[in-house]
Each structure stands twice: as structure tokens, then as C-alpha cells.
Amino acid sequence: KVIEVANQIEGGQVAFDLLKEKLEQGAKTLGLATGSSPLEFYKLIRESDLDFSDMVSVNLDEYVGLTGEDPQSYRYFMQENLFNEKPFKVSYLPKGNEDTAEEETAHYNEILAQNPVDLQILGIGRNGHIGFNEPETPFDSQTHLVHLDQSTIEANSRFFEKIEDVPTQAISMGIKNILDAKSIILFAYGESKAEAIAGTVSGPVTESLPASSLQNHPDVTIIADAEALSLLEK
């Protein structure tokens, strides 16, 4: 399902309404994403009377080499944008310790197996990545250590003082982990996402465009503005 919205504010409201529906249906575990796309969604949650104290959250990914206190870490992002005001019973993110990154991937898969995701939030990269699953990631992949594409490093460099500060590795849920969620919401805004969205919705299902795997999922809602949908046939 593709929903066109005017901007991120409207997109956040659409997603918030979908979230409330899922909570009324008994959702207990939310899969969360970082980046600019879900910010308005998280803002509406913070301003709401929703209570997550009996719920679990699991995040898609985390940089390797940054502690949770680092302002560029995804743990810090989630604390600032959601958890400080809306704490969950427990919130899981991969631990990005360089020395134990490989062991952490197995541990995180166990966490996901014990906490099946009811609703997964996604953004999308210019190259069609979801989570940090870069092109050619196998569709049956589970949580793994990722060497980030140069295009991803460049896109994320806007959050750092200089591009050399951007981590080159991350731990990410695999595509299979993402597809295991019962329902998925994907945000996409701006012309730079248009090619990826067109391929995701109506292109071939191919590992060269990781988000095209979503065509194999029974319940995906794409929330996007006109620019992101500009290459999609009406």
C-alpha cells in the first residue's frame, strides 16, 4: 500500500494513526529505525498519551565503534527522540563494541527470536538499502556485520563534523529479520529516494535493490511525498 503525503508532518500523522490501530490489535513489540524520516512520527508519540511501559522495542541497527553515550550513536538518537519521554519495558539495540561485534550478531538474533516484531518502522537509502542491508545482501540474511557502502557513508556524513568521522561498519538486522515483522511501515521523502521507491514497488525483486524484498511481504505501507513517488507509475 502506497500513501502519498504532502510532507513529513502529514506522514508522521498517518504512521501514528496506523500505530494506534496496531496497539488496539494487541501489538507488543515495535521495531524502530533512526534517521530523519521517522522524526515527526516520534514527535507525535512523545506528545501523545500512549504508554509503552509494558512493551518491547528492537532497533534495526547500530554503528560499530560508537558507545551509547556518543551523540552520533543510534542508542543516543533513540534516547533523545523517544525513550527519555516514552520508556519501554525494555529497548534493545545492537551493541556496537568493535571487539565483540561478531558475537553480538548472534546474540541479537536470539533477542529477535524471543521478541517477534509486530510493527517494523523503516527508512530507505538512496541505493535501496533497508536497515544497513546494502545492495547484494542475501534476502535470507539475519543480523550481521556490515561494511557500509561509500554512498551510505557520504549520505550519513551530514551528521558528523567530517566524513572521516563516519563509522565504516555497522551491525544490522538482516533482510529476513525485517521481513519476519507482521507489519511494516516505510517512510520515504525527497527526490533522492525516487529511484529506490520505484524499484521497491514496481521493479524486479532483486538483491541489487534490498527494499524490493518488501514485495514478498503481505503487509507493507509506504508513506512518501510526491518527490519520492515521482518515478512511480500512477
Side-chain angles (χ1 to χ4, degrees):
K1 187 176 181 183
V2 178
I3 300 175
E4 182 175 336
V5 294
N7 49 40
Q8 293 195 28
I9 294 172
E10 185 184 350
Q13 184 64 59
V14 171
F16 182 73
D17 291 342
L18 283 170
L19 169 64
K20 287 195 293 185
E21 278 181 30
K22 299 301 182 186
L23 294 177
E24 287 166 6
Q25 293 165 10
K28 285 295 181 185
T29 301
L30 298 185
L32 301 178
T34 54
S36 56
S37 296
L39 282 175
E40 288 295 333
F41 174 59
Y42 292 154
K43 179 174 180 282
L44 288 172
I45 294 175
R46 293 197 308 271
E47 295 171 350
S48 76
D49 59 0
L50 295 180
D51 179 14
F52 297 123
S53 61
D54 196 35
M55 294 185 62
V56 173
S57 71
V58 289
N59 260 71
L60 281 168
D61 41 28
E62 178 61 282
Y63 285 124
V64 171
L66 302 184
T67 68
E69 290 75 43
D70 190 303
Q72 301 300 344
S73 74
Y74 289 165
R75 165 68 73 175
Y76 190 94
F77 176 100
M78 293 305 306
Q79 290 294 149
E80 291 294 304
N81 288 289
L82 188 59
F83 297 155
N84 287 341
E85 292 185 49
K86 290 289 181 182
F88 286 69
K89 180 171 65 177
V90 59
S91 289
Y92 295 108
L93 287 89
K95 294 185 175 67
N97 188 307
E98 290 176 273
D99 297 331
T100 57
E102 288 288 0
E103 293 92 324
E104 178 63 9
T105 62
H107 177 238
Y108 208 66
N109 280 326
E110 292 174 9
I111 290 170
L112 295 172
Q114 293 162 8
N115 297 278
V117 174
D118 294 299
L119 176 62
Q120 177 67 56
I121 304 301
L122 295 177
I124 186 169
R126 296 173 194 172
N127 62 2
H129 74 231
I130 47 177
F132 271 132
N133 294 289
E134 302 285 17
E136 308 309 332
T137 301
F139 285 171
D140 62 356
S141 59
Q142 297 195 55
T143 308
H144 56 126
L145 185 62
V146 180
H147 298 276
L148 300 180
D149 274 8
Q150 188 60 31
S151 65
T152 301
I153 292 170
E154 289 169 4
N156 290 356
S157 65
R158 68 188 187 277
F159 301 116
F160 293 79
E161 282 190 22
K162 54 186 188 295
I163 194 167
E164 291 79 13
D165 294 338
V166 184
T168 59
Q169 291 182 311
I171 294 173
S172 177
M173 280 190 204
I175 292 174
K176 182 181 184 302
N177 300 120
I178 292 170
L179 296 180
D180 282 343
K182 291 176 188 163
S183 301
I184 295 171
I185 293 174
L186 183 147
F187 294 107
Y189 301 112
E191 192 178 356
S192 67
K193 305 297 175 70
E195 200 170 326
I197 287 297
T200 297
V201 176
S202 57
V205 177
T206 169
E207 290 180 352
S208 64
L209 189 80
S212 68
S213 63
L214 298 175
Q215 293 183 37
N216 295 327
H217 193 281
D219 185 8
V220 178
T221 301
I222 294 175
I223 298 171
D225 61 11
E227 289 76 16
L229 297 175
S230 60
L231 297 180
L232 196 61
E233 294 182 9
K234 298 297 182 189

